[in-house]
C-alpha cells in the first residue's frame, strides 16, 4: 500500500468515525423534556439503528420502531421493532414500515411525546402513498436516472407521499414531537432531509410541477398541498457534511498537508466534479508543498449504460485521466454511510497511475464511464473503498491529495 493510500484511509476513516451519531444524539437529547404521558420512538434512515441505540442510553421509551436500509441493523434494541426496507427506491417493505409507523402514532394524546430520529436515506425507506407501489417506483426510478438533483427528486416525492413534507409530523398531533436530525442535505434544510417528514415544506406546488415538466414526468393527481404549520414539532440538527469536511481537514493537517475545504455544498454531475477537483489539485500543486483539497456534498450520476457503480466511484474514476502521469497525486471519494449506489463499496480511490494500469488491462476510462461501470474497473485495480455500513449518513467526502515524491 502506498503512502498516499494509507493517508486516504486515515482521512476518511477518522472523518466518518467522528460523524457517528452516538455522541451527537445524546447531546441533542439534553433538551428533551418528555411530558407525563407515553414516550414513543420512531427512528428512520441509514443511521436509524445507531441513532436509536444512542437515544435508548439517554431516554426511557414506551416502545417504538426503527426503519433502516437492508443490512444496516446491528441487532435487537430493547422495546423497539426493527424493520429493514429498500434504498434508493422505496419497495414494499418501505411502504409496510411506514404504515406501521403511522399506526403507532395514531391516537397519541396531548400528554404524549414522540421522539423522532431522522437520517439520510429516509426518502426511500420511509414511504406511504395513495399511489400503487409500482407507480411510485416508476416515478422514482425516472427521477434518479434523468440527472435530477436530490432537491428536485425530493420535491416531487414529498407531494406524492403520506409521510413526507410534514405529513408524518401532522399525523402525530396533538402529541409533542421532538425531532433529532442527522443532515445529509446541503445547507441542512429540515424540509429537505429525508424529504422532511416532520418539517414544514418551503416550496410551492408550482415548483414541483416545474420539476415534472423539466424532466418530462406526468405527475399523478395525488400531488397535493402540504401542512402549512407544525407548532407541536421541535427539531435539532445533530450532525452535517460541514462537520465531516472540517474533521477531514484536521486529519490532513495532522498528516502534514496544507488542507483547504473548497466547499461543503458540492453538487452537480459526478464526473465533472471529479475532473474539476483533479484539475484544481494539479494547478495548486505548483507551490510544491503537500496539499489536500476537500469537497463535501452530493453529486448525481447521469445513467447512460448498464454497468455497476455509484456517484463516488464515478467521481474518483473521472479524475484518473486528469491525474494521469503525475507523481505524488491521488484522489478519493467516499459516501459517509458506507454504501455508494447499489454496490457494496463506499467509494473509490485513484492516483496518477490509474489510467495507465487500466489501459494495460484493455480498458479506457471514457468507455467505462459511458457504461457506468466504475465499480468493476476500480475493483480490478484494488481501487474500491469498502467500509461496510458505518451507522451514519452525512453526505459524501471527496479529497484530492498531493505529496511531493521526494518527501519521506
Amino acid at each position: 500500500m502506498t503512502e498516499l493510500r494509507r493517508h486516504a484511509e486515515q482521512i476518511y476513516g477518522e472523518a466518518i468515525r467522528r460523524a457517528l451519531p452516538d455522541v451527537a444524539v445524546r447531546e441533542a437529547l439534553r433538551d428533551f423534556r418528555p411530558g407525563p404521558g407515553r414516550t414513543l420512538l420512531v427512528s428512520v434512515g441509514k443511521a436509524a439503528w445507531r441513532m436509536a441505540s444512542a437515544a435508548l442510553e439517554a431516554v426511557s421509551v414506551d416502545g417504538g420502531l426503527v426503519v433502516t436500509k437492508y443490512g444496516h441493523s446491528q441487532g435487537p434494541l430493547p422495546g423497539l421493532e426493527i424493520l429493514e426496507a429498500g434504498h434508493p427506491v422505496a419497495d414494499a417493505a418501505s411502504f409496510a414500515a411506514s404504515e406501521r409507523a403511522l399506526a403507532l402514532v395514531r391516537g397519541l394524546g396531548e400528554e404524549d411525546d414522540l421522539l423522532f430520529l431522522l437520517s439520510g436515506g429516509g426518502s426511500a425507506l420511509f414511504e406511504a402513498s395513495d399511489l400503487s407501489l409500482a407507480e411510485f417506483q416508476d416515478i422514482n426510478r425516472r427521477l434518479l436516472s434523468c440527472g435530477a438533483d436530490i432537491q428536485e427528486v425530493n420535491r416531487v416525492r414529498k407531494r406524492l407521499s403520506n409521510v413526507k413534507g410534514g405529513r408524518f409530523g401532522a399525523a402525530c398531533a396533538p402529541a409533542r414531537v421532538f425531532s433529532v436530525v442527522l443532515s445529509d442535505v446541503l445547507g441542512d434544510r429540515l424540509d429537505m432531509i429525508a424529504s422532511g417528514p416532520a418539517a414544514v415544506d418551503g416550496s410551492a406546488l408550482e415548483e414541483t410541477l416545474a420539476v415534472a415538466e423539466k424532466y418530462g414526468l406526468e405527475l399523478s393527481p395525488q400531488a397535493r398541498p402540504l401542512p402549512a404549520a407544525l407548532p407541536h414539532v421541535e427539531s435539532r440538527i445533530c450532525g452535517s457534511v460541514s462537520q465531516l469536511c472540517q474533521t477531514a481537514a484536521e486529519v490532513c493537517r495532522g498528516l502534514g498537508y496544507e488542507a483547504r475545504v473548497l466547499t461543503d455544498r458540492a453538487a452537480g454531475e459526478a464526473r465533472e466534479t471529479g475532473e474539476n477537483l483533479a484539475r484544481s489539485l494539479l494547478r495548486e500543486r505548483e507551490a510544491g508543498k503537500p496539499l489536500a483539497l476537500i469537497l463535501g456534498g452530493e453529486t448525481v450520476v447521469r445513467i447512460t449504460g448498464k454497468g455497476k457503480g455509484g456517484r463516488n466511484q464515478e467521481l474518483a474514476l473521472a479524475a484518473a485521466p486528469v491525474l494521469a502521469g503525475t507523481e505524488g497525486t491521488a484522489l478519493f471519494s467516499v459516501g459517509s454511510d458506507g454504501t455508494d449506489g447499489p454496490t457494496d463499496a463506499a467509494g473509490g480511490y485513484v492516483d496518477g497511475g490509474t489510467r495507465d494500469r487500466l489501459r494495460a488491462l484493455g480498458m479506457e476510462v471514457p468507455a467505462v464511464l459511458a457504461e457506468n461501470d466504475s465499480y468493476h474497473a476500480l475493483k480490478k485495480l484494488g481501487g474500491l473503498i469498502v467500509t461496510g455500513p458505518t451507522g451514519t449518513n452525512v453526505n459524501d467526502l471527496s479529497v484530492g491529495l498531493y505529496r511531493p515524491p521526494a518527501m519521506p
Side-chain angles (χ1 to χ4, degrees), residues 297-315:
E298 183 171 321
T299 60
V300 296
V301 171
R302 189 174 297 277
I303 297 176
T304 56
K306 297 180 179 180
K308 183 177 181 180
R311 60 182 182 264
N312 290 287
Q313 294 160 68
E314 286 225 355
L315 189 156

Side-chain angles (χ1 to χ4, degrees), residues 37 64 126 403:
F126 199 50
R403 193 168 183 85

Side-chain angles (χ1 to χ4, degrees), residues 170-186:
C172 297
R176 293 174 299 274
V177 178
F178 191 87
S179 180
V180 179
V181 181
L182 192 66
S183 174
D184 70 335
V185 168
L186 310 185

Side-chain angles (χ1 to χ4, degrees), residues 105-113 169-177 232-233:
V105 302
R106 196 170 292 128
L108 288 177
E110 293 181 357
E111 295 187 337
D112 298 325
D113 291 270
C172 297
R176 293 174 299 274
V177 178
H232 59 295
V233 175

Side-chain angles (χ1 to χ4, degrees), residues 125-202:
L125 297 167
F126 199 50
E127 190 53 84
S129 176
D130 293 335
L131 295 177
S132 70
L133 175 61
E135 289 177 290
F136 202 92
Q137 287 178 328
D138 179 62
I139 290 173
N140 272 271
R141 287 195 184 98
R142 290 164 65 191
L143 280 167
L144 292 169
S145 64
C146 71
D149 63 37
I150 192 63
Q151 287 83 4
E152 291 174 321
V153 171
N154 287 346
R155 190 166 289 152
V156 171
R157 288 196 285 206
K158 67 178 60 175
R159 295 282 172 175
L160 302 173
S161 172
N162 292 337
V163 290
K164 294 181 170 61
R167 289 200 176 105
F168 181 68
C172 297
R176 293 174 299 274
V177 178
F178 191 87
S179 180
V180 179
V181 181
L182 192 66
S183 174
D184 70 335
V185 168
L186 310 185
D188 299 338
R189 282 184 54 179
L190 288 170
D191 63 336
M192 298 301 289
I193 301 165
S195 301
V200 174
D201 187 60

Side-chain angles (χ1 to χ4, degrees), residues 1-352:
M1 182 183 293
T2 66
E3 182 182 46
L4 283 171
R5 183 66 184 262
R6 285 196 299 272
H7 286 180
E9 291 189 358
Q10 288 176 259
I11 294 162
Y12 69 71
E14 182 63 11
I16 291 173
R17 188 190 71 78
R18 290 201 224 166
L20 296 176
D22 306 53
V23 174
V25 168
R26 289 194 292 269
E27 183 70 22
L29 289 177
R30 289 183 180 181
D31 296 328
F32 180 49
R33 301 288 184 270
R38 292 186 300 157
T39 298
L40 299 181
L41 181 151
V42 172
S43 187
V44 174
K46 294 180 185 177
W49 189 95
R50 195 147 190 161
M51 293 182 79
S53 178
L56 289 180
E57 295 179 13
V59 177
S60 176
V61 303
D62 299 302
L65 180 68
V66 175
V67 184
T68 194
K69 183 178 178 177
Y70 294 120
H72 282 232
S73 169
Q74 298 177 36
L77 291 171
L80 301 181
E81 182 181 0
I82 300 176
L83 300 174
E84 294 185 332
H87 183 276
V89 176
D91 63 5
S94 306
F95 273 53
S98 304
E99 292 292 351
R100 178 76 185 91
L102 287 169
L104 183 70
V105 302
R106 196 170 292 128
L108 288 177
E110 293 181 357
E111 295 187 337
D112 298 325
D113 291 270
L114 177 76
L115 179 56
F116 185 47
L117 311 176
L118 187 65
S119 57
S123 289
L125 297 167
F126 199 50
E127 190 53 84
S129 176
D130 293 335
L131 295 177
S132 70
L133 175 61
E135 289 177 290
F136 202 92
Q137 287 178 328
D138 179 62
I139 290 173
N140 272 271
R141 287 195 184 98
R142 290 164 65 191
L143 280 167
L144 292 169
S145 64
C146 71
D149 63 37
I150 192 63
Q151 287 83 4
E152 291 174 321
V153 171
N154 287 346
R155 190 166 289 152
V156 171
R157 288 196 285 206
K158 67 178 60 175
R159 295 282 172 175
L160 302 173
S161 172
N162 292 337
V163 290
K164 294 181 170 61
R167 289 200 176 105
F168 181 68
C172 297
R176 293 174 299 274
V177 178
F178 191 87
S179 180
V180 179
V181 181
L182 192 66
S183 174
D184 70 335
V185 168
L186 310 185
D188 299 338
R189 282 184 54 179
L190 288 170
D191 63 336
M192 298 301 289
I193 301 165
S195 301
V200 174
D201 187 60
S203 67
L205 180 57
E206 289 72 22
E207 294 177 78
T208 304
L209 297 175
V211 172
E213 182 177 357
K214 177 180 177 181
Y215 295 106
L217 298 172
E218 288 188 19
L219 270 191
S220 163
Q222 301 295 338
R224 59 196 189 277
L226 300 168
L230 296 168
H232 59 295
V233 175
E234 183 178 358
S235 299
R236 294 282 189 280
I237 297 283
C238 72
S240 68
V241 68
S242 61
Q243 296 173 8
L244 185 74
C245 291
Q246 291 303 323
T247 299
E250 289 177 24
V251 178
C252 289
R253 293 180 187 118
L255 292 170
Y257 294 89
E258 176 188 334
R260 275 181 273 156
V261 178
L262 301 182
T263 181
D264 57 15
R265 300 190 179 194
E269 208 274 327
R271 298 178 203 175
E272 293 179 3
T273 302
E275 292 169 355
N276 290 338
L277 179 56
R279 291 191 188 103
S280 296
L281 184 69
L282 294 187
R283 285 195 303 268
E284 298 290 339
R285 74 179 176 135
E286 297 302 323
K289 298 178 181 179
L291 175 68
L293 299 182
I294 299 166
L295 298 177
E298 183 171 321
T299 60
V300 296
V301 171
R302 189 174 297 277
I303 297 176
T304 56
K306 297 180 179 180
K308 183 177 181 180
R311 60 182 182 264
N312 290 287
Q313 294 160 68
E314 286 225 355
L315 189 156
L317 189 59
V322 180
L323 299 180
T326 62
E327 291 188 86
T329 61
L331 186 148
F332 70 86
S333 190
V334 62
S336 61
D337 63 350
T339 55
D340 186 33
T343 76
D344 59 356
Y349 171 95
V350 301
D351 59 28

